[in-house]
Amino acid sequence: MVVATLPAHFTLVMATGGVLPRVARLVGAESAATGLSYGFLWWILGALTLFPLLLGGAPRWDAATLAALFPSLIGHLSYGAALGLVYYALESRVSPWWLTRGQVEAERVAARRAQVLGSAPALWTLITLTALTVPLLIE
């Protein structure tokens, strides 16, 4: 039960510590295979190596242990793939890899210009004037 909740707690610690971007930059790749290999790495390091060592035993690298921990491998691969996809989705919103910095800045300027030229400033002005006028009319 404790082992099943470790990835969720570990993700929370990594996210609050700002470690996820650094971990993603370590490998320098952007494919889904990278997220899967990250999960595979943690399965090998965690379930087969570190957990037995931390519990006072030796690393378990035999076929019976690998077969017994196969469901854990599926969980770690799913976790690594999901982590990679979520990071890719969030990173592409902020810094799309297919655009240069100049193009990104031009798109931001165009979006701000469209926002200013849209109806939002007029609506805020109307709401502010209404909020200031209504108390005067009620008295």
Side-chain angles (χ1 to χ4, degrees), residues 9-21 23 38 42 79 83:
H9 294 296
F10 191 65
T11 302
L12 182 63
V13 170
M14 288 178 68
T16 57
V19 177
L20 289 178
V23 170
Y38 183 76
W42 280 110
Y79 168 73
L83 182 66

Side-chain angles (χ1 to χ4, degrees), residues 13 18 23 26 30 32 38 42 56 61 67 77 87 99-100 110 117 137:
V13 170
V23 170
L26 283 175
E30 298 175 1
Y38 183 76
W42 280 110
W61 288 88
L77 292 177
Y87 181 79
L99 297 176
T100 64
L117 296 177
L137 295 175

